[in-house]
Amino acid sequence: MNNTEQKFLKALDDKLWKAADKLRANLDAANYKHVVLGLIFLKYVSDAFEERQEELLERFKDENDDIYYLPPEDYDGDEDYQQALLEELEVLDYYREANVFWVPKPARWNTLKEKAVLPVGTVLWQDDAGNDVKLRSVSWLIDNALEEIEKSNTKLKGILNRISQYQLENETLLGLINTFSDTSFTKPVFEGEKLSLHSKDILGHVYEYFLGQFALAEGKQGGQYYTPKSIVTLIVEMLQPYSGRVYDPAMGSGGFFVSSDKFIEEHAKEQHYDASEQKKHISVYGQESNPTTWRLAAMNMAIRGIDFNFGKKNADTFLNDQHPDLRADFVMANPPFNMKDWWSESLAEDSRWKYGTPPRGNANFAWVQHMIHHMAPTGSMALLLANGSMSSNTNNEGEIRKRLVEEDLVECMVALPGQLFTNTQIPACIWFLTKNKGARNTATGRAFSNRKKQFLFIDARNLGFMRDRVLRDFTNDDIAKIADTFHAWRRAGAQVSRSSGMDESEQRVYEDIPGFCKSASLNEIKKHDFVLTPGRYVGAQEQEDDGEPFAEKMARLTGQLKEQFAESDRLEAEIKRNLGGLGYEL
């Protein structure tokens, strides 16, 4: 985005969050997110519907449009023609063919805005049976809109959360509706400049921003559905999910799917191909046990226009796998770290534990093996886990890790810096695994060298910056440094076609960098008893040689230290004398 677009989104974020944060006085973050995100969703589907209406109206009047044109001469006068146009705009098939949600009249944003200001008890419309429908409250009006959308769009059935249960005052909700109404999501203008952002881009950004803010407001609980954007971006940039089936068994709010969608769009611009056509080659599958988060994810996909399959319902991934037959090309997940309460006796002989039964008190290696189980023969996966997973030998974890290495499934290990997550201070790492480390060419023209029995270690603990006093984040350069290193290692020695669409960073030569990355052999890992902590392999960062011989430098520094100790003793004696003069004894 250009600077003006970024400023516009920043100002929009601040404005909407300030309005939403007023609900804090009435609700905690865990609840008021449903109210705000529900309104964002209603605004999006209504805006998208209106955009489609405007497009249809132009086509109905366009003589050159052989499909949609409605000749005025076919109607008795202008009044009948205008009525025909309005009736044609209400044909449901026009919207479904363009993958736009059908929004019934009671659910349209203009209806909410107009009816919310009316006195309670006012007749709004008549139902199908001819009975008067009266305004009960603004929250009822919003819930009715959500219900109407669910009834008209089976994909959303059971997903949209109702807000009447939170018992908010009419004036409070009316203020939120007015705030959203005063903001232009379709054809936005900022500082006199027309922006090229679409309503989907803007509302998708707002939705993502609010998820992050709610995660911060909720603390540990909120972090359960929010993975830091930079970590999601890093994993997607490393796996590069251009086409195929993408699966997240602990999807939270669907951040990996959104980032995959953005990845395709960005690389489509760079390589000058049609992103919408490329997206047709991607299908997303997810699972989430928390019913609230499952709904948030589905709404997130709907706002982005991403087709999805999240199973029939929210469910426990281990006990009620919603995609038992799925074999995905890309598997990505950030499950709860070191989850203790996950075991059931029904899992004792589970076919997923191919490399060893996971310990009952820690689900880390249950997640690893579940994801391997769902990986296609040429698939790849990335999994965020606590650092302990790289070295623990308790309760069969060491044996499982050894099997994974010996079976040549482990491809790359990335150690992350601390303070990246809102919900935990536990140091984390990323496991990258694949079932095929041999030389090959992908369907997208990418070439991979033979990396069998070789393993890449990246120590990224010194990267990133403190975004505030609590949270660390990665810059775009940090992400590029890690991802480019991984791609260069994967493709070292592979024959790369100039027509493959690879950029220069992907074609660069891989080399070990002390303190940062190391390509290790199986024998080296055996010497370390199959511990996969990158710091053991990458070594120390090379120090710049200042030309001073070590013996001379040591003598000089020792002399400086003696002088500083002497100065410290002198200052201490001076302080004691001064305090003694004031009548204090030490």
Side-chain angles (χ1 to χ4, degrees):
M1 290 184 227
N2 60 41
N3 287 335
T4 304
E5 290 171 340
Q6 291 178 7
K7 288 179 182 178
F8 165 75
L9 291 176
K10 176 66 169 62
L12 179 63
D13 289 341
D14 293 342
K15 172 185 175 181
L16 296 181
W17 180 254
K18 185 177 180 180
D21 209 34
K22 292 177 181 177
L23 292 178
R24 239 188 232 262
N26 306 90
L27 297 168
D28 61 26
N31 289 327
Y32 78 82
K33 69 168 174 277
H34 297 302
V35 179
V36 177
L37 296 176
L39 283 172
I40 291 174
F41 181 80
L42 283 175
K43 178 63 174 168
Y44 165 71
V45 294
S46 191
D47 279 9
F49 184 83
E50 287 180 10
E51 281 183 337
R52 178 61 174 164
Q53 280 194 319
E54 291 176 6
E55 177 192 344
L56 287 170
L57 199 55
E58 289 181 7
R59 296 188 66 176
F60 290 156
K61 296 178 180 180
D62 185 358
E63 296 181 13
N64 297 318
D65 195 312
D66 296 332
I67 299 175
Y68 289 89
Y69 179 54
L70 297 177
E73 56 269 21
D74 290 351
Y75 301 91
D76 295 331
D78 185 64
E79 187 174 331
D80 283 350
Y81 179 60
Q82 297 302 324
Q83 182 62 33
L85 290 176
L86 292 176
E87 290 175 0
E88 200 70 14
L89 285 175
E90 298 298 321
V91 176
L92 184 146
D93 288 343
Y94 287 140
Y95 302 89
R96 289 188 174 165
E97 69 185 14
N99 200 26
V100 172
F101 287 112
W102 170 258
V103 184
K105 288 181 180 179
R108 294 173 193 172
W109 192 260
N110 283 335
T111 303
L112 288 182
K113 184 180 177 182
E114 292 170 6
K115 307 298 185 185
V117 298
L118 299 175
V120 172
T122 302
V123 175
L124 303 177
W125 54 74
Q126 289 187 326
D127 61 21
D128 294 338
N131 301 315
D132 290 343
V133 176
K134 298 179 180 180
L135 179 65
R136 303 174 196 173
S137 65
V138 178
S139 60
W140 170 86
L141 188 67
I142 295 170
D143 280 355
N144 183 72
L146 294 168
E147 187 174 340
E148 289 288 336
I149 289 173
E150 276 196 1
K151 285 194 296 187
S152 302
N153 302 276
T154 54
K155 190 82 173 177
L156 298 174
K157 187 173 178 59
I159 284 174
L160 307 180
N161 201 63
R162 309 298 190 262
I163 71 166
S164 292
Q165 59 186 304
Y166 305 121
Q167 300 179 335
L168 289 166
E169 296 292 332
N170 288 341
E171 290 302 316
T172 302
L173 290 172
L174 186 58
L176 273 178
I177 291 173
N178 288 335
T179 299
F180 280 105
S181 299
D182 291 343
T183 304
S184 176
F185 293 102
T186 57
K187 306 175 184 174
V189 176
F190 185 71
E191 295 180 347
E193 182 179 337
K194 290 183 179 179
L195 307 181
S196 60
L197 295 171
H198 299 292
S199 62
K200 184 183 79 169
D201 303 319
I202 299 170
L203 283 159
H205 166 85
V206 169
Y207 194 93
E208 188 173 0
Y209 170 78
F210 270 59
L211 285 175
Q213 290 299 105
F214 285 128
L216 289 171
E218 290 184 64
K220 184 174 181 179
Q221 183 182 0
Q224 290 177 356
Y225 62 81
Y226 187 77
T227 305
K229 182 180 177 182
S230 60
I231 302 302
V232 175
T233 302
L234 172 62
I235 287 175
V236 169
E237 287 289 339
M238 291 177 76
L239 285 188
Q240 297 188 321
Y242 278 107
S243 62
R245 293 150 296 189
V246 180
Y247 173 53
D248 184 347
M251 67 181 178
S253 56
F256 282 116
F257 303 133
V258 171
S259 196
S260 298
D261 193 63
K262 290 180 181 177
F263 172 83
I264 292 172
E265 289 182 353
E266 289 303 313
H267 284 261
K269 291 177 186 176
E270 294 172 9
Q271 306 302 333
H272 307 293
Y273 62 78
D274 188 346
S276 60
E277 283 300 314
Q278 185 61 41
K279 288 180 185 181
K280 293 177 182 178
H281 301 290
I282 283 279
S283 52
V284 302
Y285 300 82
Q287 181 153 350
E288 172 61 41
S289 61
N290 185 297
T292 296
T293 312
W294 186 75
R295 292 189 182 101
L296 290 178
M299 289 169 64
N300 204 1
M301 298 304 102
I303 282 177
R304 302 277 180 179
I306 301 173
D307 194 25
F308 61 93
N309 181 345
F310 292 164
K312 295 180 180 178
K313 59 180 180 178
N314 60 288
D316 184 290
T317 299
F318 298 125
L319 298 176
N320 189 2
D321 190 347
Q322 293 288 292
H323 309 286
D325 300 321
L326 174 66
R327 297 296 178 266
D329 301 287
F330 302 96
V331 188
M332 302 176 276
N334 172 27
F337 293 168
N338 303 324
M339 192 166 76
K340 295 179 180 179
D341 187 19
W342 73 279
W343 180 260
S344 168
E345 287 304 321
S346 63
L347 297 172
E349 302 296 329
D350 199 289
S351 62
R352 288 172 287 187
W353 317 146
K354 184 177 178 180
Y355 306 97
T357 302
R360 300 186 179 194
N362 192 320
N364 286 345
F365 283 94
W367 287 112
V368 173
Q369 294 190 82
H370 172 86
M371 292 171 67
I372 293 173
H373 176 78
H374 280 289
M375 224 180 359
T378 57
S380 299
M381 63 173 266
L383 173 63
L384 274 158
L385 285 179
N387 273 359
S389 63
M390 298 188 288
S391 58
S392 173
N393 287 314
T394 59
N395 298 319
N396 205 37
E397 289 187 333
E399 285 301 312
I400 297 173
R401 187 173 57 251
K402 178 181 177 183
R403 286 281 307 278
L404 296 175
V405 172
E406 290 179 333
E407 297 279 345
D408 212 18
L409 291 163
V410 179
E411 188 171 28
C412 175
M413 300 296 299
V414 179
L416 298 172
Q419 296 178 267
L420 286 171
F421 300 88
T422 59
N423 61 329
T424 181
Q425 294 301 311
I426 298 174
C429 61
I430 311 175
W431 290 63
F432 287 89
L433 292 89
T434 183
K435 290 184 177 179
N436 184 1
K437 290 168 72 175
R440 65 195 188 278
N441 290 295
T442 69
T444 55
R446 280 166 158 66
F448 291 83
S449 62
N450 184 353
R451 282 297 186 181
K452 291 182 178 180
K453 304 300 180 182
Q454 298 175 64
F455 308 83
L456 178 63
F457 292 92
I458 298 177
D459 191 342
R461 290 176 298 171
N462 294 323
L463 299 183
F465 68 100
M466 293 306 294
R467 195 173 71 192
D468 52 39
R469 290 181 299 175
V470 179
L471 289 175
R472 180 177 288 273
D473 206 351
F474 279 145
T475 65
N476 289 336
D477 287 342
D478 293 330
I479 292 171
K481 180 178 181 179
I482 300 169
D484 291 350
T485 299
F486 179 59
H487 296 316
W489 177 82
R490 264 183 158 187
R491 300 184 174 104
Q495 295 299 313
V496 178
S497 167
R498 284 288 175 183
S499 63
S500 66
M502 288 171 57
D503 58 38
E504 291 181 3
S505 65
E506 291 176 323
Q507 297 179 33
R508 72 178 180 83
V509 176
Y510 171 81
E511 60 181 355
D512 291 341
I513 301 175
F516 177 65
C517 64
K518 164 74 174 177
S519 181
S521 67
L522 178 58
N523 285 335
E524 288 177 271
I525 294 179
K526 286 179 179 179
K527 289 178 183 177
H528 287 281
D529 295 323
F530 296 92
V531 170
L532 299 179
T533 306
R536 292 204 178 195
Y537 300 90
V538 301
Q541 186 174 355
E542 287 185 346
Q543 300 298 315
E544 186 175 344
D545 185 6
D546 57 8
E548 184 179 9
F550 175 78
E552 294 179 14
K553 180 184 288 188
M554 192 65 186
R556 177 175 59 81
L557 293 175
T558 302
Q560 286 180 357
L561 186 61
K562 286 181 179 179
E563 291 175 6
Q564 289 167 354
F565 280 151
E567 178 66 9
S568 174
D569 291 341
R570 186 190 68 77
L571 291 172
E572 184 179 354
E574 184 72 23
I575 291 169
K576 285 181 178 180
R577 279 197 301 273
N578 291 336
L579 289 174
L582 296 173
Y584 292 96
E585 291 186 9
L586 293 177

